[in-house]
Amino acid sequence: MFYKNTYRLKQLEEIDFPALQELLWKVFQKKSSILSLKHKYDVSHLGLEYVSTIAYENEIPVAFYGAILQKFKKHNQKIIIAQACDSSTLKAHQGKGLHFELAKLSYEIMQKQGITCVYAFLNENSFYSTKKLDWHSHFNMLRFHIKVNTFPLAKVLNKLHINNLYFLFLNKNVSQEAITKLTSDHKDKFQQICTPNFFAYKNRYKNHYCIEVENCVFWVKIEAIMHVGLFFAPSGVALQKGIKKLRHKAFFFGISEILFQVGPKTNLAKQLKTIAVPKKSWHVGYLPFEKNIDLKDFKFNYSDLDTF
């Protein structure tokens, strides 16, 4: 039951970021600077307003419905879609309809600004909560784990919060040639627009690296393991050779695992299946705001995830 007289629900504004920082710490024990939160939810480059919403009891933040905006493109058609993330409610205020009401308020704000749809990478709990909001089911991403027999130094560095050490050995810059390769597949699908500004945005949040070996391109982040957000391989044979070189680098850096996450019907998934056995990952769900939107027309990458 939602208590209208108890809570104040509103669109996220600049003045709310200290409250959001406080809320995320209470719910997730997650330390986030106000600057990093402003960067994550920034919409100024699109000329739009925040689409996230927050709830207060008196002056205390008690719940949040987060969403970031992303530009997708198919051929010459460009759209803006929202990815729901960081939804949170203080334990004492759960079961009172706050998540539902904040979500509906966010969707109203999105539609007023011409957002095409909202989607999310869902775990089992969040998958069931979206059903109450009339979300559609799409598919499960596939994850491929490549093990590396080495001392797990990267996990130690991650616990010490010194992941940025790798910039001494790896290249953060992504050349235009590499960008062209990384975005060359499935031109008939909507996929996030990857420009130098996209990579700069991601690198302001955390370090990412571009590794080019055996005519392959891997765009990765290193947090305990190596996470591959985007990759290109001209063939399955080239990918096998590229991953062999990638494993050599991982061995040298003390990275015990390389993780790929891709859509199940992509060429990338077909290539990876020749190397490793896939496992089911997040479920992708969505709520369209326009009748002609269907996620079968979209290609999602691991790099699309808000925390990548």
Side-chain angles (χ1 to χ4, degrees):
M1 182 177 180
F2 180 61
Y3 301 88
K4 290 184 178 180
N5 296 328
T6 304
Y7 301 109
R8 177 170 59 94
L9 279 58
K10 66 185 292 286
Q11 182 179 11
L12 185 70
E13 297 179 84
E14 289 285 320
I15 59 172
D16 296 305
F17 279 100
L20 176 58
Q21 180 190 41
E22 175 189 336
L23 177 64
L24 294 179
W25 168 250
K26 288 180 178 177
V27 175
F28 300 118
Q29 296 295 291
K30 180 179 177 181
K31 290 183 178 179
S32 302
S33 70
I34 291 175
L35 184 62
S36 68
L37 289 172
K38 286 184 176 181
H39 168 66
K40 179 174 182 177
Y41 290 100
D42 179 41
V43 292
S44 61
H45 60 292
L46 298 172
L48 299 175
E49 299 176 357
Y50 293 116
V51 294
S52 302
T53 49
I54 190 167
Y56 291 88
E57 183 187 43
N58 297 319
E59 298 303 315
I60 299 173
V62 296
F64 176 67
Y65 190 88
I68 61 172
L69 298 181
Q70 300 173 329
K71 293 182 75 172
F72 275 59
K73 179 181 178 181
K74 179 178 74 172
H75 301 307
N76 293 321
Q77 184 181 0
K78 296 179 182 179
I79 60 173
I80 299 175
I81 66 176
Q83 181 186 140
C85 55
D86 287 339
S87 294
S88 52
T89 305
L90 290 179
K91 191 172 182 179
H93 300 271
Q94 292 176 3
K96 298 181 179 180
L98 281 171
H99 175 81
F100 183 84
E101 296 296 332
L102 283 173
K104 288 202 303 182
L105 178 57
S106 282
Y107 302 160
E108 289 174 12
I109 296 167
M110 290 175 191
Q111 290 180 76
K112 286 178 181 177
Q113 298 193 83
I115 308 304
T116 303
C117 74
V118 58
Y119 81 101
F121 297 102
L122 306 168
N123 58 32
E124 188 173 345
N125 290 333
S126 55
F127 172 71
Y128 287 110
S129 70
T130 60
K131 289 295 184 183
K132 298 176 183 178
L133 292 161
D134 296 323
W135 278 45
H136 299 221
S137 296
H138 188 32
F139 56 59
N140 283 86
M141 298 285 283
L142 296 180
R143 52 189 169 95
F144 296 81
H145 300 263
I146 310 293
K147 299 295 183 179
V148 180
N149 187 20
T150 187
F151 176 75
L153 176 63
K155 292 183 178 180
V156 176
L157 295 178
N158 186 59
K159 286 184 178 180
L160 295 174
H161 305 290
I162 49 177
N163 291 314
N164 289 346
L165 186 66
Y166 297 102
F167 86 92
L168 296 170
F169 309 96
L170 296 172
N171 180 26
K172 287 177 62 177
N173 295 321
V174 186
S175 68
Q176 186 56 55
E177 182 181 358
I179 293 174
T180 300
K181 289 180 178 178
L182 290 171
T183 57
S184 62
D185 201 16
H186 294 287
K187 291 289 190 182
D188 59 328
K189 303 285 187 182
F190 279 109
Q191 49 189 308
Q192 188 165 186
I193 299 173
C194 295
T195 63
N197 286 339
F198 165 82
F199 294 104
Y201 165 81
K202 287 287 190 176
N203 277 330
R204 286 201 304 270
Y205 193 53
K206 58 187 69 176
N207 281 349
H208 301 80
Y209 309 99
C210 185
I211 301 173
E212 300 185 58
V213 288
E214 297 292 340
N215 295 316
C216 300
V217 183
F218 303 92
W219 189 63
V220 310
K221 71 171 183 176
I222 302 172
E223 289 180 346
I225 64 173
M226 181 180 288
H227 306 260
V228 183
L230 292 166
F231 72 97
F232 163 81
S235 67
V237 173
L239 181 60
Q240 290 179 25
K241 291 180 179 179
I243 288 180
K244 186 176 181 179
K245 291 285 182 69
L246 205 60
R247 291 184 70 184
H248 287 165
K249 288 182 180 292
F251 177 85
F252 174 76
F253 292 131
I255 300 169
S256 58
E257 183 179 335
I258 304 169
L259 175 63
F260 294 80
Q261 303 222 44
V262 298
K265 295 183 179 181
T266 60
N267 293 331
L268 305 177
K270 292 177 183 177
Q271 291 176 329
L272 284 167
K273 284 177 181 178
T274 65
I275 299 170
V277 177
K279 296 179 180 180
K280 280 189 176 182
S281 185
W282 304 291
H283 186 89
V284 180
Y286 70 110
L287 178 67
F289 300 134
E290 296 181 7
K291 291 182 179 179
N292 61 341
I293 292 297
D294 190 324
L295 284 205
K296 66 179 178 58
D297 298 321
F298 285 69
K299 172 180 175 280
F300 291 106
N301 298 298
Y302 193 7
S303 61
D304 296 328
L305 186 67
D306 67 298
T307 55
F308 194 89

